[in-house]
mmCIF file of all heavy atoms in Angstrom:
data_model
loop_
_atom_site.group_PDB
_atom_site.id
_atom_site.type_symbol
_atom_site.label_atom_id
_atom_site.label_comp_id
_atom_site.label_asym_id
_atom_site.label_seq_id
_atom_site.Cartn_x
_atom_site.Cartn_y
_atom_site.Cartn_z
ATOM 1 N N GLN A 1342 -7.181 -4.430 -4.277
ATOM 2 C CA GLN A 1342 -6.154 -4.923 -3.365
ATOM 3 C C GLN A 1342 -6.490 -6.315 -2.841
ATOM 4 O O GLN A 1342 -5.615 -7.146 -2.648
ATOM 5 C CB GLN A 1342 -5.971 -3.946 -2.201
ATOM 6 C CG GLN A 1342 -5.149 -2.717 -2.545
ATOM 7 C CD GLN A 1342 -3.752 -3.072 -3.002
ATOM 8 O OE1 GLN A 1342 -3.124 -4.003 -2.494
ATOM 9 N NE2 GLN A 1342 -3.263 -2.352 -4.001
ATOM 10 N N THR A 1343 -7.764 -6.560 -2.631
ATOM 11 C CA THR A 1343 -8.202 -7.889 -2.203
ATOM 12 C C THR A 1343 -7.851 -8.930 -3.262
ATOM 13 O O THR A 1343 -7.409 -10.037 -2.953
ATOM 14 C CB THR A 1343 -9.717 -7.902 -1.939
ATOM 15 O OG1 THR A 1343 -10.021 -6.938 -0.931
ATOM 16 C CG2 THR A 1343 -10.191 -9.275 -1.492
ATOM 17 N N PHE A 1344 -8.048 -8.556 -4.522
ATOM 18 C CA PHE A 1344 -7.705 -9.475 -5.604
ATOM 19 C C PHE A 1344 -6.187 -9.664 -5.715
ATOM 20 O O PHE A 1344 -5.686 -10.783 -5.824
ATOM 21 C CB PHE A 1344 -8.259 -8.946 -6.936
ATOM 22 C CG PHE A 1344 -7.847 -9.770 -8.121
ATOM 23 C CD1 PHE A 1344 -8.526 -10.936 -8.443
ATOM 24 C CD2 PHE A 1344 -6.759 -9.396 -8.908
ATOM 25 C CE1 PHE A 1344 -8.132 -11.709 -9.531
ATOM 26 C CE2 PHE A 1344 -6.369 -10.153 -9.993
ATOM 27 C CZ PHE A 1344 -7.057 -11.315 -10.304
ATOM 28 N N LEU A 1345 -5.440 -8.574 -5.680
ATOM 29 C CA LEU A 1345 -3.987 -8.640 -5.856
ATOM 30 C C LEU A 1345 -3.308 -9.421 -4.741
ATOM 31 O O LEU A 1345 -2.219 -9.981 -4.941
ATOM 32 C CB LEU A 1345 -3.406 -7.225 -5.921
ATOM 33 C CG LEU A 1345 -3.784 -6.402 -7.155
ATOM 34 C CD1 LEU A 1345 -3.325 -4.956 -6.993
ATOM 35 C CD2 LEU A 1345 -3.177 -7.012 -8.421
ATOM 36 N N LYS A 1346 -3.952 -9.490 -3.600
ATOM 37 C CA LYS A 1346 -3.379 -10.213 -2.467
ATOM 38 C C LYS A 1346 -3.168 -11.690 -2.790
ATOM 39 O O LYS A 1346 -2.308 -12.348 -2.205
ATOM 40 C CB LYS A 1346 -4.313 -10.053 -1.261
ATOM 41 C CG LYS A 1346 -3.716 -10.504 0.056
ATOM 42 C CD LYS A 1346 -4.661 -10.214 1.198
ATOM 43 C CE LYS A 1346 -4.041 -10.638 2.537
ATOM 44 N NZ LYS A 1346 -4.959 -10.342 3.666
ATOM 45 N N ARG A 1347 -3.941 -12.206 -3.747
ATOM 46 C CA ARG A 1347 -3.859 -13.633 -4.082
ATOM 47 C C ARG A 1347 -2.764 -13.953 -5.101
ATOM 48 O O ARG A 1347 -2.504 -15.115 -5.384
ATOM 49 C CB ARG A 1347 -5.198 -14.115 -4.650
ATOM 50 C CG ARG A 1347 -6.399 -13.821 -3.782
ATOM 51 C CD ARG A 1347 -7.570 -14.731 -4.132
ATOM 52 N NE ARG A 1347 -7.905 -14.701 -5.551
ATOM 53 C CZ ARG A 1347 -8.887 -13.965 -6.066
ATOM 54 N NH1 ARG A 1347 -9.611 -13.191 -5.280
ATOM 55 N NH2 ARG A 1347 -9.161 -14.002 -7.353
ATOM 56 N N VAL A 1348 -2.154 -12.931 -5.680
ATOM 57 C CA VAL A 1348 -1.188 -13.143 -6.762
ATOM 58 C C VAL A 1348 0.220 -13.276 -6.167
ATOM 59 O O VAL A 1348 0.713 -12.336 -5.533
ATOM 60 C CB VAL A 1348 -1.229 -11.978 -7.771
ATOM 61 C CG1 VAL A 1348 -0.278 -12.243 -8.936
ATOM 62 C CG2 VAL A 1348 -2.654 -11.755 -8.277
ATOM 63 N N PRO A 1349 0.898 -14.414 -6.373
ATOM 64 C CA PRO A 1349 2.216 -14.630 -5.741
ATOM 65 C C PRO A 1349 3.300 -13.668 -6.208
ATOM 66 O O PRO A 1349 4.130 -13.234 -5.423
ATOM 67 C CB PRO A 1349 2.568 -16.073 -6.138
ATOM 68 C CG PRO A 1349 1.285 -16.703 -6.551
ATOM 69 C CD PRO A 1349 0.439 -15.607 -7.099
ATOM 70 N N TRP A 1350 3.304 -13.343 -7.498
ATOM 71 C CA TRP A 1350 4.361 -12.488 -8.043
ATOM 72 C C TRP A 1350 3.759 -11.204 -8.620
ATOM 73 O O TRP A 1350 2.945 -11.248 -9.544
ATOM 74 C CB TRP A 1350 5.126 -13.197 -9.165
ATOM 75 C CG TRP A 1350 6.094 -14.242 -8.675
ATOM 76 C CD1 TRP A 1350 5.871 -15.583 -8.569
ATOM 77 C CD2 TRP A 1350 7.441 -14.026 -8.231
ATOM 78 N NE1 TRP A 1350 6.983 -16.219 -8.089
ATOM 79 C CE2 TRP A 1350 7.967 -15.294 -7.877
ATOM 80 C CE3 TRP A 1350 8.239 -12.898 -8.107
ATOM 81 C CZ2 TRP A 1350 9.267 -15.448 -7.397
ATOM 82 C CZ3 TRP A 1350 9.530 -13.049 -7.625
ATOM 83 C CH2 TRP A 1350 10.037 -14.307 -7.271
ATOM 84 N N LEU A 1351 4.171 -10.068 -8.065
ATOM 85 C CA LEU A 1351 3.796 -8.776 -8.622
ATOM 86 C C LEU A 1351 5.062 -8.077 -9.102
ATOM 87 O O LEU A 1351 6.079 -8.059 -8.400
ATOM 88 C CB LEU A 1351 3.096 -7.907 -7.578
ATOM 89 C CG LEU A 1351 1.733 -8.378 -7.073
ATOM 90 C CD1 LEU A 1351 1.217 -7.422 -5.992
ATOM 91 C CD2 LEU A 1351 0.725 -8.489 -8.213
ATOM 92 N N PHE A 1352 4.999 -7.495 -10.278
ATOM 93 C CA PHE A 1352 6.107 -6.717 -10.836
ATOM 94 C C PHE A 1352 5.614 -5.283 -10.991
ATOM 95 O O PHE A 1352 4.549 -5.059 -11.566
ATOM 96 C CB PHE A 1352 6.538 -7.286 -12.191
ATOM 97 C CG PHE A 1352 7.026 -8.706 -12.112
ATOM 98 C CD1 PHE A 1352 6.131 -9.774 -12.196
ATOM 99 C CD2 PHE A 1352 8.376 -8.978 -11.940
ATOM 100 C CE1 PHE A 1352 6.571 -11.086 -12.105
ATOM 101 C CE2 PHE A 1352 8.826 -10.284 -11.848
ATOM 102 C CZ PHE A 1352 7.925 -11.339 -11.930
ATOM 103 N N MET A 1353 6.390 -4.342 -10.481
ATOM 104 C CA MET A 1353 5.928 -2.958 -10.518
ATOM 105 C C MET A 1353 6.983 -2.043 -11.128
ATOM 106 O O MET A 1353 8.155 -2.096 -10.771
ATOM 107 C CB MET A 1353 5.571 -2.444 -9.125
ATOM 108 C CG MET A 1353 4.972 -1.038 -9.139
ATOM 109 S SD MET A 1353 4.597 -0.378 -7.493
ATOM 110 C CE MET A 1353 3.196 -1.396 -7.032
ATOM 111 N N LYS A 1354 6.510 -1.198 -12.039
ATOM 112 C CA LYS A 1354 7.344 -0.138 -12.595
ATOM 113 C C LYS A 1354 6.677 1.185 -12.250
ATOM 114 O O LYS A 1354 5.494 1.400 -12.548
ATOM 115 C CB LYS A 1354 7.491 -0.283 -14.106
ATOM 116 C CG LYS A 1354 8.442 0.729 -14.737
ATOM 117 C CD LYS A 1354 8.497 0.577 -16.266
ATOM 118 C CE LYS A 1354 9.236 -0.664 -16.692
ATOM 119 N NZ LYS A 1354 9.410 -0.703 -18.178
ATOM 120 N N THR A 1355 7.422 2.075 -11.610
ATOM 121 C CA THR A 1355 6.868 3.374 -11.235
ATOM 122 C C THR A 1355 7.996 4.383 -11.070
ATOM 123 O O THR A 1355 9.118 4.011 -10.738
ATOM 124 C CB THR A 1355 6.054 3.283 -9.921
ATOM 125 O OG1 THR A 1355 5.560 4.574 -9.576
ATOM 126 C CG2 THR A 1355 6.909 2.748 -8.771
ATOM 127 N N ASN A 1356 7.689 5.619 -11.328
ATOM 128 C CA ASN A 1356 8.634 6.707 -11.048
ATOM 129 C C ASN A 1356 8.007 7.706 -10.086
ATOM 130 O O ASN A 1356 8.399 8.857 -10.036
ATOM 131 C CB ASN A 1356 9.075 7.395 -12.345
ATOM 132 C CG ASN A 1356 7.908 7.935 -13.149
ATOM 133 O OD1 ASN A 1356 6.745 7.725 -12.801
ATOM 134 N ND2 ASN A 1356 8.190 8.629 -14.241
ATOM 135 N N ASN A 1357 7.017 7.230 -9.329
ATOM 136 C CA ASN A 1357 6.243 8.093 -8.431
ATOM 137 C C ASN A 1357 6.429 7.732 -6.968
ATOM 138 O O ASN A 1357 6.674 6.573 -6.624
ATOM 139 C CB ASN A 1357 4.752 7.982 -8.760
ATOM 140 C CG ASN A 1357 4.345 8.861 -9.919
ATOM 141 O OD1 ASN A 1357 4.577 10.066 -9.910
ATOM 142 N ND2 ASN A 1357 3.739 8.263 -10.937
ATOM 143 N N TYR A 1358 6.269 8.731 -6.113
ATOM 144 C CA TYR A 1358 6.182 8.508 -4.679
ATOM 145 C C TYR A 1358 4.687 8.399 -4.354
ATOM 146 O O TYR A 1358 4.022 9.385 -4.046
ATOM 147 C CB TYR A 1358 6.816 9.668 -3.917
ATOM 148 C CG TYR A 1358 6.846 9.479 -2.409
ATOM 149 C CD1 TYR A 1358 7.718 8.563 -1.827
ATOM 150 C CD2 TYR A 1358 6.005 10.226 -1.579
ATOM 151 C CE1 TYR A 1358 7.749 8.391 -0.447
ATOM 152 C CE2 TYR A 1358 6.037 10.059 -0.201
ATOM 153 C CZ TYR A 1358 6.912 9.136 0.354
ATOM 154 O OH TYR A 1358 6.937 8.963 1.722
ATOM 155 N N PHE A 1359 4.156 7.180 -4.450
ATOM 156 C CA PHE A 1359 2.702 7.011 -4.360
ATOM 157 C C PHE A 1359 2.209 6.750 -2.933
ATOM 158 O O PHE A 1359 1.044 6.386 -2.710
ATOM 159 C CB PHE A 1359 2.220 5.899 -5.305
ATOM 160 C CG PHE A 1359 2.814 4.532 -5.066
ATOM 161 C CD1 PHE A 1359 2.375 3.713 -4.044
ATOM 162 C CD2 PHE A 1359 3.812 4.047 -5.910
ATOM 163 C CE1 PHE A 1359 2.906 2.451 -3.840
ATOM 164 C CE2 PHE A 1359 4.351 2.784 -5.729
ATOM 165 C CZ PHE A 1359 3.900 1.981 -4.685
ATOM 166 N N VAL A 1360 3.067 6.963 -1.946
ATOM 167 C CA VAL A 1360 2.708 6.729 -0.541
ATOM 168 C C VAL A 1360 1.438 7.467 -0.116
ATOM 169 O O VAL A 1360 0.583 6.884 0.568
ATOM 170 C CB VAL A 1360 3.895 7.092 0.379
ATOM 171 C CG1 VAL A 1360 3.471 7.158 1.842
ATOM 172 C CG2 VAL A 1360 5.019 6.077 0.198
ATOM 173 N N PRO A 1361 1.247 8.763 -0.464
ATOM 174 C CA PRO A 1361 0.029 9.449 -0.011
ATOM 175 C C PRO A 1361 -1.257 8.712 -0.387
ATOM 176 O O PRO A 1361 -2.215 8.696 0.403
ATOM 177 C CB PRO A 1361 0.118 10.812 -0.709
ATOM 178 C CG PRO A 1361 1.580 11.055 -0.854
ATOM 179 C CD PRO A 1361 2.165 9.700 -1.173
ATOM 180 N N SER A 1362 -1.299 8.101 -1.552
ATOM 181 C CA SER A 1362 -2.519 7.398 -1.964
ATOM 182 C C SER A 1362 -2.702 6.070 -1.229
ATOM 183 O O SER A 1362 -3.824 5.562 -1.149
ATOM 184 C CB SER A 1362 -2.527 7.171 -3.477
ATOM 185 O OG SER A 1362 -2.804 8.395 -4.153
ATOM 186 N N LEU A 1363 -1.631 5.491 -0.694
ATOM 187 C CA LEU A 1363 -1.785 4.306 0.161
ATOM 188 C C LEU A 1363 -2.542 4.676 1.432
ATOM 189 O O LEU A 1363 -3.295 3.867 1.983
ATOM 190 C CB LEU A 1363 -0.416 3.715 0.520
ATOM 191 C CG LEU A 1363 0.421 3.122 -0.617
ATOM 192 C CD1 LEU A 1363 1.744 2.576 -0.086
ATOM 193 C CD2 LEU A 1363 -0.340 2.021 -1.352
ATOM 194 N N PHE A 1364 -2.346 5.910 1.898
ATOM 195 C CA PHE A 1364 -3.043 6.378 3.092
ATOM 196 C C PHE A 1364 -4.528 6.634 2.835
ATOM 197 O O PHE A 1364 -5.276 6.882 3.783
ATOM 198 C CB PHE A 1364 -2.381 7.662 3.619
ATOM 199 C CG PHE A 1364 -1.187 7.410 4.494
ATOM 200 C CD1 PHE A 1364 0.029 7.043 3.938
ATOM 201 C CD2 PHE A 1364 -1.271 7.540 5.870
ATOM 202 C CE1 PHE A 1364 1.138 6.825 4.748
ATOM 203 C CE2 PHE A 1364 -0.170 7.317 6.692
ATOM 204 C CZ PHE A 1364 1.043 6.953 6.122
ATOM 205 N N LEU A 1365 -4.948 6.572 1.581
ATOM 206 C CA LEU A 1365 -6.359 6.762 1.250
ATOM 207 C C LEU A 1365 -7.078 5.440 1.016
ATOM 208 O O LEU A 1365 -8.272 5.429 0.695
ATOM 209 C CB LEU A 1365 -6.482 7.644 0.001
ATOM 210 C CG LEU A 1365 -5.918 9.067 0.130
ATOM 211 C CD1 LEU A 1365 -6.060 9.825 -1.184
ATOM 212 C CD2 LEU A 1365 -6.604 9.833 1.258
ATOM 213 N N ILE A 1366 -6.369 4.315 1.167
ATOM 214 C CA ILE A 1366 -6.989 3.000 1.022
ATOM 215 C C ILE A 1366 -7.496 2.566 2.396
ATOM 216 O O ILE A 1366 -6.700 2.371 3.324
ATOM 217 C CB ILE A 1366 -5.978 1.971 0.465
ATOM 218 C CG1 ILE A 1366 -5.486 2.424 -0.916
ATOM 219 C CG2 ILE A 1366 -6.602 0.583 0.396
ATOM 220 C CD1 ILE A 1366 -4.402 1.530 -1.511
ATOM 221 N N PRO A 1367 -8.816 2.427 2.576
ATOM 222 C CA PRO A 1367 -9.385 2.176 3.912
ATOM 223 C C PRO A 1367 -8.784 0.967 4.640
ATOM 224 O O PRO A 1367 -8.543 1.025 5.845
ATOM 225 C CB PRO A 1367 -10.880 1.961 3.619
ATOM 226 C CG PRO A 1367 -11.121 2.753 2.381
ATOM 227 C CD PRO A 1367 -9.874 2.612 1.558
ATOM 228 N N SER A 1368 -8.518 -0.117 3.936
ATOM 229 C CA SER A 1368 -8.013 -1.323 4.602
ATOM 230 C C SER A 1368 -6.593 -1.159 5.132
ATOM 231 O O SER A 1368 -6.139 -1.951 5.959
ATOM 232 C CB SER A 1368 -8.072 -2.527 3.645
ATOM 233 O OG SER A 1368 -7.278 -2.292 2.497
ATOM 234 N N PHE A 1369 -5.881 -0.146 4.663
ATOM 235 C CA PHE A 1369 -4.516 0.108 5.131
ATOM 236 C C PHE A 1369 -4.470 1.143 6.265
ATOM 237 O O PHE A 1369 -3.423 1.358 6.867
ATOM 238 C CB PHE A 1369 -3.633 0.627 3.989
ATOM 239 C CG PHE A 1369 -3.355 -0.376 2.908
ATOM 240 C CD1 PHE A 1369 -2.847 0.035 1.673
ATOM 241 C CD2 PHE A 1369 -3.593 -1.727 3.092
ATOM 242 C CE1 PHE A 1369 -2.572 -0.870 0.672
ATOM 243 C CE2 PHE A 1369 -3.334 -2.654 2.099
ATOM 244 C CZ PHE A 1369 -2.821 -2.232 0.874
ATOM 245 N N GLU A 1370 -5.607 1.779 6.515
ATOM 246 C CA GLU A 1370 -5.622 2.956 7.391
ATOM 247 C C GLU A 1370 -5.086 2.664 8.788
ATOM 248 O O GLU A 1370 -4.199 3.374 9.293
ATOM 249 C CB GLU A 1370 -7.052 3.500 7.483
ATOM 250 C CG GLU A 1370 -7.157 4.799 8.260
ATOM 251 C CD GLU A 1370 -8.581 5.353 8.255
ATOM 252 O OE1 GLU A 1370 -9.459 4.749 7.610
ATOM 253 O OE2 GLU A 1370 -8.799 6.379 8.924
ATOM 254 N N LYS A 1371 -5.577 1.619 9.448
ATOM 255 C CA LYS A 1371 -5.166 1.342 10.821
ATOM 256 C C LYS A 1371 -3.690 0.950 10.887
ATOM 257 O O LYS A 1371 -2.954 1.410 11.768
ATOM 258 C CB LYS A 1371 -6.038 0.232 11.419
ATOM 259 C CG LYS A 1371 -5.728 -0.030 12.878
ATOM 260 C CD LYS A 1371 -6.646 -1.083 13.468
ATOM 261 C CE LYS A 1371 -6.315 -1.322 14.943
ATOM 262 N NZ LYS A 1371 -7.182 -2.375 15.532
ATOM 263 N N GLU A 1372 -3.269 0.098 9.968
ATOM 264 C CA GLU A 1372 -1.871 -0.347 9.967
ATOM 265 C C GLU A 1372 -0.914 0.831 9.756
ATOM 266 O O GLU A 1372 0.108 0.957 10.437
ATOM 267 C CB GLU A 1372 -1.679 -1.396 8.869
ATOM 268 C CG GLU A 1372 -0.280 -1.975 8.776
ATOM 269 C CD GLU A 1372 0.020 -3.005 9.849
ATOM 270 O OE1 GLU A 1372 -0.802 -3.165 10.773
ATOM 271 O OE2 GLU A 1372 1.079 -3.648 9.774
ATOM 272 N N LEU A 1373 -1.244 1.697 8.822
ATOM 273 C CA LEU A 1373 -0.394 2.861 8.562
ATOM 274 C C LEU A 1373 -0.369 3.814 9.750
ATOM 275 O O LEU A 1373 0.664 4.412 10.059
ATOM 276 C CB LEU A 1373 -0.876 3.594 7.310
ATOM 277 C CG LEU A 1373 -0.542 2.906 5.982
ATOM 278 C CD1 LEU A 1373 -1.302 3.561 4.828
ATOM 279 C CD2 LEU A 1373 0.960 2.929 5.712
ATOM 280 N N SER A 1374 -1.487 3.942 10.430
ATOM 281 C CA SER A 1374 -1.552 4.810 11.608
ATOM 282 C C SER A 1374 -0.661 4.270 12.719
ATOM 283 O O SER A 1374 -0.001 5.034 13.434
ATOM 284 C CB SER A 1374 -2.997 4.928 12.086
ATOM 285 O OG SER A 1374 -3.081 5.784 13.205
ATOM 286 N N ASN A 1375 -0.629 2.944 12.870
ATOM 287 C CA ASN A 1375 0.237 2.328 13.875
ATOM 288 C C ASN A 1375 1.713 2.451 13.499
ATOM 289 O O ASN A 1375 2.571 2.687 14.353
ATOM 290 C CB ASN A 1375 -0.115 0.851 14.048
ATOM 291 C CG ASN A 1375 -1.456 0.651 14.727
ATOM 292 O OD1 ASN A 1375 -1.972 1.553 15.380
ATOM 293 N ND2 ASN A 1375 -2.031 -0.527 14.571
ATOM 294 N N LEU A 1376 1.999 2.288 12.217
ATOM 295 C CA LEU A 1376 3.383 2.369 11.751
ATOM 296 C C LEU A 1376 3.922 3.798 11.857
ATOM 297 O O LEU A 1376 5.070 4.017 12.262
ATOM 298 C CB LEU A 1376 3.480 1.902 10.295
ATOM 299 C CG LEU A 1376 3.323 0.409 10.030
ATOM 300 C CD1 LEU A 1376 3.182 0.154 8.528
ATOM 301 C CD2 LEU A 1376 4.509 -0.380 10.587
ATOM 302 N N PHE A 1377 3.068 4.762 11.495
ATOM 303 C CA PHE A 1377 3.513 6.157 11.424
ATOM 304 C C PHE A 1377 2.538 7.075 12.149
ATOM 305 O O PHE A 1377 1.723 7.745 11.509
ATOM 306 C CB PHE A 1377 3.679 6.589 9.965
ATOM 307 C CG PHE A 1377 4.648 5.740 9.195
ATOM 308 C CD1 PHE A 1377 4.201 4.745 8.346
ATOM 309 C CD2 PHE A 1377 6.023 5.930 9.343
ATOM 310 C CE1 PHE A 1377 5.092 3.942 7.645
ATOM 311 C CE2 PHE A 1377 6.923 5.135 8.651
ATOM 312 C CZ PHE A 1377 6.468 4.142 7.799
ATOM 313 N N PRO A 1378 2.594 7.120 13.483
ATOM 314 C CA PRO A 1378 1.743 8.057 14.217
ATOM 315 C C PRO A 1378 1.993 9.492 13.771
ATOM 316 O O PRO A 1378 1.075 10.301 13.744
ATOM 317 C CB PRO A 1378 2.164 7.859 15.677
ATOM 318 C CG PRO A 1378 2.855 6.546 15.723
ATOM 319 C CD PRO A 1378 3.436 6.309 14.375
ATOM 320 N N GLU A 1379 3.265 9.790 13.434
ATOM 321 C CA GLU A 1379 3.607 11.082 12.831
ATOM 322 C C GLU A 1379 3.630 10.864 11.321
ATOM 323 O O GLU A 1379 4.581 10.309 10.769
ATOM 324 C CB GLU A 1379 4.966 11.570 13.336
ATOM 325 C CG GLU A 1379 4.998 11.853 14.826
ATOM 326 C CD GLU A 1379 6.376 12.262 15.309
ATOM 327 O OE1 GLU A 1379 7.239 11.383 15.431
ATOM 328 O OE2 GLU A 1379 6.580 13.459 15.558
ATOM 329 N N LYS A 1380 2.589 11.281 10.660
ATOM 330 C CA LYS A 1380 2.363 10.914 9.263
ATOM 331 C C LYS A 1380 3.471 11.362 8.313
ATOM 332 O O LYS A 1380 3.754 10.709 7.327
ATOM 333 C CB LYS A 1380 1.023 11.502 8.786
ATOM 334 C CG LYS A 1380 -0.190 11.076 9.606
ATOM 335 C CD LYS A 1380 -0.486 9.599 9.456
ATOM 336 C CE LYS A 1380 -1.823 9.210 10.064
ATOM 337 N NZ LYS A 1380 -1.917 9.435 11.518
#
């Protein structure tokens, strides 16, 4: 994620609801907790 942050254009193809795995990325933990106190 640190590397991808530097890339101006990202293109994503997915058919998944990958939100649960975003909650397992340590650098996102505090922000997600603030956004969604009720997970």
Side-chain angles (χ1 to χ4, degrees):
Q1342 282 300 323
T1343 301
F1344 175 82
L1345 292 171
K1346 192 176 181 179
R1347 307 200 307 262
V1348 183
W1350 284 96
L1351 294 177
F1352 299 87
M1353 185 182 289
K1354 185 183 288 187
T1355 179
N1356 57 355
N1357 278 305
Y1358 184 72
F1359 59 78
V1360 167
S1362 286
L1363 294 180
F1364 276 76
L1365 298 178
I1366 299 176
S1368 60
F1369 292 165
E1370 186 176 357
K1371 184 177 180 181
E1372 182 77 352
L1373 285 169
S1374 181
N1375 290 341
L1376 288 169
F1377 302 100
E1379 296 177 284
K1380 303 293 190 298

